Amino acid sequence: MKKAIALIFLLATLTSCSDSDTYQDIETPTTGTDPGNGNPGTGTPGTGTPGTDPVTAITYTQNVKSIIDANCISCHQGGRSASFRPLTTYAEVKAAVQNTDLLSRIQLQSGQQGIMPQGGRMSQTNIDVIVKWNTDGLKEN
């Protein structure tokens, strides 16, 4: 009888240790840094997937610049085919998001007219980072 009471007490203690009411709360992290350590292009912003910390906003310097450098600079810099719209600095990229159709053009599907980059659609993860950067207020650092 004492063993049964001790077992019931132990089970009651273990089940009361969680402050979560659902499996989703347990499976989806809501704070801290994910395994991707905030590296751009490795996760979906704000979802708790690797590559982002859902508490931290996306910034140009830490998340967006490397995506732009890898996908856009080959055309959007001085002396290149799209040098009329350079994307080499924070101010230029911010202006392109605010004043042109950059966000809609990077979200077009491969084969659609006007898609950027012209060589083919960048990964959805990279697109999501840029869109979330816009949503988060186009922060530089």
Side-chain angles (χ1 to χ4, degrees), residues 19-50:
D19 62 351
S20 174
D21 294 331
T22 67
Y23 286 112
Q24 184 178 7
D25 291 341
I26 294 169
E27 294 173 356
T28 305
T30 56
T31 59
T33 302
D34 290 323
N37 295 320
N39 293 329
T42 60
T44 304
T47 61
T49 58

PDB file of all heavy atoms in Angstrom, residues 19-50:
ATOM      1  N   ASP A  19       4.386  23.423 -17.429  1.00  0.00           N
ATOM      2  CA  ASP A  19       3.422  24.514 -17.418  1.00  0.00           C
ATOM      3  C   ASP A  19       2.723  24.629 -18.772  1.00  0.00           C
ATOM      4  O   ASP A  19       2.028  25.579 -19.056  1.00  0.00           O
ATOM      5  CB  ASP A  19       4.080  25.837 -17.053  1.00  0.00           C
ATOM      6  CG  ASP A  19       5.141  26.266 -18.054  1.00  0.00           C
ATOM      7  OD1 ASP A  19       5.490  25.470 -18.941  1.00  0.00           O
ATOM      8  OD2 ASP A  19       5.602  27.414 -17.939  1.00  0.00           O
ATOM      9  N   SER A  20       2.912  23.634 -19.625  1.00  0.00           N
ATOM     10  CA  SER A  20       2.321  23.631 -20.951  1.00  0.00           C
ATOM     11  C   SER A  20       1.049  22.800 -20.961  1.00  0.00           C
ATOM     12  O   SER A  20       0.949  21.781 -20.299  1.00  0.00           O
ATOM     13  CB  SER A  20       3.320  23.041 -21.941  1.00  0.00           C
ATOM     14  OG  SER A  20       2.711  22.915 -23.198  1.00  0.00           O
ATOM     15  N   ASP A  21       0.085  23.247 -21.741  1.00  0.00           N
ATOM     16  CA  ASP A  21      -1.173  22.533 -21.836  1.00  0.00           C
ATOM     17  C   ASP A  21      -1.311  21.734 -23.118  1.00  0.00           C
ATOM     18  O   ASP A  21      -2.211  20.920 -23.251  1.00  0.00           O
ATOM     19  CB  ASP A  21      -2.350  23.522 -21.757  1.00  0.00           C
ATOM     20  CG  ASP A  21      -2.432  24.185 -20.389  1.00  0.00           C
ATOM     21  OD1 ASP A  21      -2.020  23.559 -19.403  1.00  0.00           O
ATOM     22  OD2 ASP A  21      -2.910  25.334 -20.335  1.00  0.00           O
ATOM     23  N   THR A  22      -0.438  21.976 -24.100  1.00  0.00           N
ATOM     24  CA  THR A  22      -0.567  21.296 -25.376  1.00  0.00           C
ATOM     25  C   THR A  22       0.778  20.763 -25.843  1.00  0.00           C
ATOM     26  O   THR A  22       1.826  21.223 -25.426  1.00  0.00           O
ATOM     27  CB  THR A  22      -1.098  22.248 -26.462  1.00  0.00           C
ATOM     28  OG1 THR A  22      -0.110  23.240 -26.711  1.00  0.00           O
ATOM     29  CG2 THR A  22      -2.402  22.910 -26.060  1.00  0.00           C
ATOM     30  N   TYR A  23       0.709  19.803 -26.765  1.00  0.00           N
ATOM     31  CA  TYR A  23       1.932  19.281 -27.349  1.00  0.00           C
ATOM     32  C   TYR A  23       2.629  20.343 -28.184  1.00  0.00           C
ATOM     33  O   TYR A  23       3.837  20.400 -28.261  1.00  0.00           O
ATOM     34  CB  TYR A  23       1.645  18.060 -28.225  1.00  0.00           C
ATOM     35  CG  TYR A  23       1.324  16.843 -27.412  1.00  0.00           C
ATOM     36  CD1 TYR A  23       0.059  16.288 -27.417  1.00  0.00           C
ATOM     37  CD2 TYR A  23       2.297  16.250 -26.623  1.00  0.00           C
ATOM     38  CE1 TYR A  23      -0.236  15.175 -26.661  1.00  0.00           C
ATOM     39  CE2 TYR A  23       2.013  15.136 -25.865  1.00  0.00           C
ATOM     40  CZ  TYR A  23       0.748  14.598 -25.888  1.00  0.00           C
ATOM     41  OH  TYR A  23       0.471  13.503 -25.138  1.00  0.00           O
ATOM     42  N   GLN A  24       1.861  21.238 -28.815  1.00  0.00           N
ATOM     43  CA  GLN A  24       2.451  22.289 -29.618  1.00  0.00           C
ATOM     44  C   GLN A  24       3.344  23.178 -28.768  1.00  0.00           C
ATOM     45  O   GLN A  24       4.414  23.580 -29.185  1.00  0.00           O
ATOM     46  CB  GLN A  24       1.379  23.123 -30.294  1.00  0.00           C
ATOM     47  CG  GLN A  24       1.954  24.182 -31.214  1.00  0.00           C
ATOM     48  CD  GLN A  24       0.871  24.970 -31.913  1.00  0.00           C
ATOM     49  OE1 GLN A  24      -0.300  24.812 -31.630  1.00  0.00           O
ATOM     50  NE2 GLN A  24       1.270  25.816 -32.831  1.00  0.00           N
ATOM     51  N   ASP A  25       2.901  23.488 -27.545  1.00  0.00           N
ATOM     52  CA  ASP A  25       3.716  24.304 -26.652  1.00  0.00           C
ATOM     53  C   ASP A  25       5.036  23.618 -26.336  1.00  0.00           C
ATOM     54  O   ASP A  25       6.062  24.263 -26.204  1.00  0.00           O
ATOM     55  CB  ASP A  25       2.982  24.583 -25.333  1.00  0.00           C
ATOM     56  CG  ASP A  25       1.798  25.511 -25.511  1.00  0.00           C
ATOM     57  OD1 ASP A  25       1.747  26.213 -26.538  1.00  0.00           O
ATOM     58  OD2 ASP A  25       0.932  25.523 -24.624  1.00  0.00           O
ATOM     59  N   ILE A  26       4.998  22.320 -26.226  1.00  0.00           N
ATOM     60  CA  ILE A  26       6.198  21.571 -25.876  1.00  0.00           C
ATOM     61  C   ILE A  26       7.129  21.471 -27.081  1.00  0.00           C
ATOM     62  O   ILE A  26       8.332  21.633 -26.969  1.00  0.00           O
ATOM     63  CB  ILE A  26       5.824  20.148 -25.392  1.00  0.00           C
ATOM     64  CG1 ILE A  26       5.043  20.247 -24.086  1.00  0.00           C
ATOM     65  CG2 ILE A  26       7.069  19.291 -25.216  1.00  0.00           C
ATOM     66  CD1 ILE A  26       4.403  18.955 -23.661  1.00  0.00           C
ATOM     67  N   GLU A  27       6.575  21.241 -28.287  1.00  0.00           N
ATOM     68  CA  GLU A  27       7.377  20.991 -29.472  1.00  0.00           C
ATOM     69  C   GLU A  27       7.918  22.247 -30.128  1.00  0.00           C
ATOM     70  O   GLU A  27       8.926  22.204 -30.802  1.00  0.00           O
ATOM     71  CB  GLU A  27       6.546  20.207 -30.486  1.00  0.00           C
ATOM     72  CG  GLU A  27       6.207  18.815 -29.982  1.00  0.00           C
ATOM     73  CD  GLU A  27       5.242  18.082 -30.892  1.00  0.00           C
ATOM     74  OE1 GLU A  27       4.774  18.676 -31.885  1.00  0.00           O
ATOM     75  OE2 GLU A  27       4.953  16.923 -30.613  1.00  0.00           O
ATOM     76  N   THR A  28       7.279  23.400 -29.973  1.00  0.00           N
ATOM     77  CA  THR A  28       7.703  24.626 -30.629  1.00  0.00           C
ATOM     78  C   THR A  28       8.384  25.541 -29.635  1.00  0.00           C
ATOM     79  O   THR A  28       7.745  26.032 -28.717  1.00  0.00           O
ATOM     80  CB  THR A  28       6.494  25.365 -31.240  1.00  0.00           C
ATOM     81  OG1 THR A  28       5.811  24.471 -32.111  1.00  0.00           O
ATOM     82  CG2 THR A  28       6.943  26.597 -31.997  1.00  0.00           C
ATOM     83  N   PRO A  29       9.692  25.785 -29.784  1.00  0.00           N
ATOM     84  CA  PRO A  29      10.370  26.681 -28.858  1.00  0.00           C
ATOM     85  C   PRO A  29       9.845  28.102 -29.026  1.00  0.00           C
ATOM     86  O   PRO A  29       9.545  28.534 -30.131  1.00  0.00           O
ATOM     87  CB  PRO A  29      11.835  26.589 -29.258  1.00  0.00           C
ATOM     88  CG  PRO A  29      11.844  26.034 -30.629  1.00  0.00           C
ATOM     89  CD  PRO A  29      10.579  25.258 -30.806  1.00  0.00           C
ATOM     90  N   THR A  30       9.763  28.823 -27.899  1.00  0.00           N
ATOM     91  CA  THR A  30       9.267  30.184 -27.966  1.00  0.00           C
ATOM     92  C   THR A  30      10.302  31.202 -27.517  1.00  0.00           C
ATOM     93  O   THR A  30      10.104  32.384 -27.683  1.00  0.00           O
ATOM     94  CB  THR A  30       8.007  30.351 -27.094  1.00  0.00           C
ATOM     95  OG1 THR A  30       8.315  29.939 -25.762  1.00  0.00           O
ATOM     96  CG2 THR A  30       6.863  29.527 -27.642  1.00  0.00           C
ATOM     97  N   THR A  31      11.402  30.750 -26.948  1.00  0.00           N
ATOM     98  CA  THR A  31      12.460  31.668 -26.552  1.00  0.00           C
ATOM     99  C   THR A  31      13.796  31.006 -26.776  1.00  0.00           C
ATOM    100  O   THR A  31      13.885  29.808 -26.945  1.00  0.00           O
ATOM    101  CB  THR A  31      12.352  32.063 -25.059  1.00  0.00           C
ATOM    102  OG1 THR A  31      12.438  30.872 -24.272  1.00  0.00           O
ATOM    103  CG2 THR A  31      11.067  32.808 -24.772  1.00  0.00           C
ATOM    104  N   GLY A  32      14.834  31.799 -26.748  1.00  0.00           N
ATOM    105  CA  GLY A  32      16.189  31.260 -26.876  1.00  0.00           C
ATOM    106  C   GLY A  32      16.603  31.163 -28.325  1.00  0.00           C
ATOM    107  O   GLY A  32      15.853  31.458 -29.235  1.00  0.00           O
ATOM    108  N   THR A  33      17.808  30.718 -28.554  1.00  0.00           N
ATOM    109  CA  THR A  33      18.347  30.607 -29.890  1.00  0.00           C
ATOM    110  C   THR A  33      18.176  29.197 -30.387  1.00  0.00           C
ATOM    111  O   THR A  33      18.463  28.238 -29.692  1.00  0.00           O
ATOM    112  CB  THR A  33      19.843  30.987 -29.901  1.00  0.00           C
ATOM    113  OG1 THR A  33      19.953  32.317 -29.400  1.00  0.00           O
ATOM    114  CG2 THR A  33      20.416  30.919 -31.288  1.00  0.00           C
ATOM    115  N   ASP A  34      17.710  29.070 -31.607  1.00  0.00           N
ATOM    116  CA  ASP A  34      17.520  27.773 -32.222  1.00  0.00           C
ATOM    117  C   ASP A  34      18.853  27.203 -32.668  1.00  0.00           C
ATOM    118  O   ASP A  34      19.840  27.923 -32.755  1.00  0.00           O
ATOM    119  CB  ASP A  34      16.587  27.909 -33.422  1.00  0.00           C
ATOM    120  CG  ASP A  34      15.158  28.214 -32.991  1.00  0.00           C
ATOM    121  OD1 ASP A  34      14.745  27.669 -31.960  1.00  0.00           O
ATOM    122  OD2 ASP A  34      14.489  29.000 -33.675  1.00  0.00           O
ATOM    123  N   PRO A  35      18.879  25.920 -33.019  1.00  0.00           N
ATOM    124  CA  PRO A  35      20.134  25.283 -33.402  1.00  0.00           C
ATOM    125  C   PRO A  35      20.855  25.941 -34.561  1.00  0.00           C
ATOM    126  O   PRO A  35      22.050  25.817 -34.695  1.00  0.00           O
ATOM    127  CB  PRO A  35      19.704  23.857 -33.775  1.00  0.00           C
ATOM    128  CG  PRO A  35      18.432  23.636 -33.048  1.00  0.00           C
ATOM    129  CD  PRO A  35      17.778  24.985 -32.950  1.00  0.00           C
ATOM    130  N   GLY A  36      20.132  26.681 -35.423  1.00  0.00           N
ATOM    131  CA  GLY A  36      20.768  27.308 -36.566  1.00  0.00           C
ATOM    132  C   GLY A  36      21.570  28.541 -36.209  1.00  0.00           C
ATOM    133  O   GLY A  36      22.239  29.106 -37.044  1.00  0.00           O
ATOM    134  N   ASN A  37      21.505  28.990 -34.963  1.00  0.00           N
ATOM    135  CA  ASN A  37      22.271  30.142 -34.481  1.00  0.00           C
ATOM    136  C   ASN A  37      22.030  31.415 -35.267  1.00  0.00           C
ATOM    137  O   ASN A  37      22.903  32.255 -35.385  1.00  0.00           O
ATOM    138  CB  ASN A  37      23.769  29.824 -34.466  1.00  0.00           C
ATOM    139  CG  ASN A  37      24.085  28.743 -33.488  1.00  0.00           C
ATOM    140  OD1 ASN A  37      23.525  28.711 -32.399  1.00  0.00           O
ATOM    141  ND2 ASN A  37      24.940  27.825 -33.872  1.00  0.00           N
ATOM    142  N   GLY A  38      20.836  31.566 -35.836  1.00  0.00           N
ATOM    143  CA  GLY A  38      20.489  32.803 -36.504  1.00  0.00           C
ATOM    144  C   GLY A  38      21.110  32.988 -37.869  1.00  0.00           C
ATOM    145  O   GLY A  38      21.076  34.068 -38.428  1.00  0.00           O
ATOM    146  N   ASN A  39      21.692  31.944 -38.447  1.00  0.00           N
ATOM    147  CA  ASN A  39      22.288  32.080 -39.763  1.00  0.00           C
ATOM    148  C   ASN A  39      21.201  32.250 -40.809  1.00  0.00           C
ATOM    149  O   ASN A  39      20.230  31.517 -40.805  1.00  0.00           O
ATOM    150  CB  ASN A  39      23.129  30.842 -40.114  1.00  0.00           C
ATOM    151  CG  ASN A  39      24.331  30.734 -39.234  1.00  0.00           C
ATOM    152  OD1 ASN A  39      24.872  31.739 -38.789  1.00  0.00           O
ATOM    153  ND2 ASN A  39      24.773  29.518 -38.965  1.00  0.00           N
ATOM    154  N   PRO A  40      21.347  33.214 -41.714  1.00  0.00           N
ATOM    155  CA  PRO A  40      20.324  33.421 -42.722  1.00  0.00           C
ATOM    156  C   PRO A  40      20.238  32.232 -43.659  1.00  0.00           C
ATOM    157  O   PRO A  40      21.227  31.563 -43.926  1.00  0.00           O
ATOM    158  CB  PRO A  40      20.805  34.664 -43.465  1.00  0.00           C
ATOM    159  CG  PRO A  40      22.262  34.730 -43.221  1.00  0.00           C
ATOM    160  CD  PRO A  40      22.482  34.108 -41.872  1.00  0.00           C
ATOM    161  N   GLY A  41      19.034  32.019 -44.137  1.00  0.00           N
ATOM    162  CA  GLY A  41      18.840  30.974 -45.118  1.00  0.00           C
ATOM    163  C   GLY A  41      18.751  29.586 -44.547  1.00  0.00           C
ATOM    164  O   GLY A  41      18.737  28.622 -45.279  1.00  0.00           O
ATOM    165  N   THR A  42      18.675  29.433 -43.232  1.00  0.00           N
ATOM    166  CA  THR A  42      18.609  28.097 -42.656  1.00  0.00           C
ATOM    167  C   THR A  42      17.320  27.849 -41.905  1.00  0.00           C
ATOM    168  O   THR A  42      17.154  26.805 -41.311  1.00  0.00           O
ATOM    169  CB  THR A  42      19.788  27.834 -41.700  1.00  0.00           C
ATOM    170  OG1 THR A  42      19.734  28.805 -40.650  1.00  0.00           O
ATOM    171  CG2 THR A  42      21.102  27.900 -42.425  1.00  0.00           C
ATOM    172  N   GLY A  43      16.404  28.765 -41.923  1.00  0.00           N
ATOM    173  CA  GLY A  43      15.149  28.541 -41.221  1.00  0.00           C
ATOM    174  C   GLY A  43      14.095  29.533 -41.631  1.00  0.00           C
ATOM    175  O   GLY A  43      14.330  30.413 -42.432  1.00  0.00           O
ATOM    176  N   THR A  44      12.915  29.366 -41.087  1.00  0.00           N
ATOM    177  CA  THR A  44      11.812  30.254 -41.388  1.00  0.00           C
ATOM    178  C   THR A  44      11.612  31.200 -40.226  1.00  0.00           C
ATOM    179  O   THR A  44      11.445  30.749 -39.098  1.00  0.00           O
ATOM    180  CB  THR A  44      10.533  29.437 -41.643  1.00  0.00           C
ATOM    181  OG1 THR A  44      10.802  28.520 -42.686  1.00  0.00           O
ATOM    182  CG2 THR A  44       9.390  30.346 -42.031  1.00  0.00           C
ATOM    183  N   PRO A  45      11.612  32.500 -40.475  1.00  0.00           N
ATOM    184  CA  PRO A  45      11.519  33.479 -39.395  1.00  0.00           C
ATOM    185  C   PRO A  45      10.270  33.319 -38.551  1.00  0.00           C
ATOM    186  O   PRO A  45       9.176  33.155 -39.063  1.00  0.00           O
ATOM    187  CB  PRO A  45      11.479  34.825 -40.131  1.00  0.00           C
ATOM    188  CG  PRO A  45      12.056  34.539 -41.465  1.00  0.00           C
ATOM    189  CD  PRO A  45      11.739  33.117 -41.776  1.00  0.00           C
ATOM    190  N   GLY A  46      10.471  33.383 -37.240  1.00  0.00           N
ATOM    191  CA  GLY A  46       9.355  33.404 -36.316  1.00  0.00           C
ATOM    192  C   GLY A  46       8.624  32.098 -36.144  1.00  0.00           C
ATOM    193  O   GLY A  46       7.573  32.046 -35.532  1.00  0.00           O
ATOM    194  N   THR A  47       9.139  30.994 -36.684  1.00  0.00           N
ATOM    195  CA  THR A  47       8.431  29.735 -36.564  1.00  0.00           C
ATOM    196  C   THR A  47       9.102  28.786 -35.591  1.00  0.00           C
ATOM    197  O   THR A  47       8.595  27.710 -35.333  1.00  0.00           O
ATOM    198  CB  THR A  47       8.341  29.016 -37.922  1.00  0.00           C
ATOM    199  OG1 THR A  47       9.663  28.740 -38.366  1.00  0.00           O
ATOM    200  CG2 THR A  47       7.579  29.838 -38.932  1.00  0.00           C
ATOM    201  N   GLY A  48      10.243  29.162 -35.060  1.00  0.00           N
ATOM    202  CA  GLY A  48      10.959  28.281 -34.159  1.00  0.00           C
ATOM    203  C   GLY A  48      11.763  27.235 -34.902  1.00  0.00           C
ATOM    204  O   GLY A  48      12.245  26.296 -34.315  1.00  0.00           O
ATOM    205  N   THR A  49      11.915  27.367 -36.224  1.00  0.00           N
ATOM    206  CA  THR A  49      12.710  26.419 -36.981  1.00  0.00           C
ATOM    207  C   THR A  49      14.157  26.879 -36.979  1.00  0.00           C
ATOM    208  O   THR A  49      14.433  28.041 -36.727  1.00  0.00           O
ATOM    209  CB  THR A  49      12.202  26.290 -38.426  1.00  0.00           C
ATOM    210  OG1 THR A  49      12.244  27.562 -39.042  1.00  0.00           O
ATOM    211  CG2 THR A  49      10.802  25.728 -38.472  1.00  0.00           C
ATOM    212  N   PRO A  50      15.095  25.971 -37.260  1.00  0.00           N
ATOM    213  CA  PRO A  50      16.496  26.347 -37.209  1.00  0.00           C
ATOM    214  C   PRO A  50      16.795  27.553 -38.084  1.00  0.00           C
ATOM    215  O   PRO A  50      16.274  27.694 -39.172  1.00  0.00           O
ATOM    216  CB  PRO A  50      17.205  25.099 -37.753  1.00  0.00           C
ATOM    217  CG  PRO A  50      16.279  23.982 -37.421  1.00  0.00           C
ATOM    218  CD  PRO A  50      14.895  24.568 -37.561  1.00  0.00           C
TER     219      PRO A  50
END
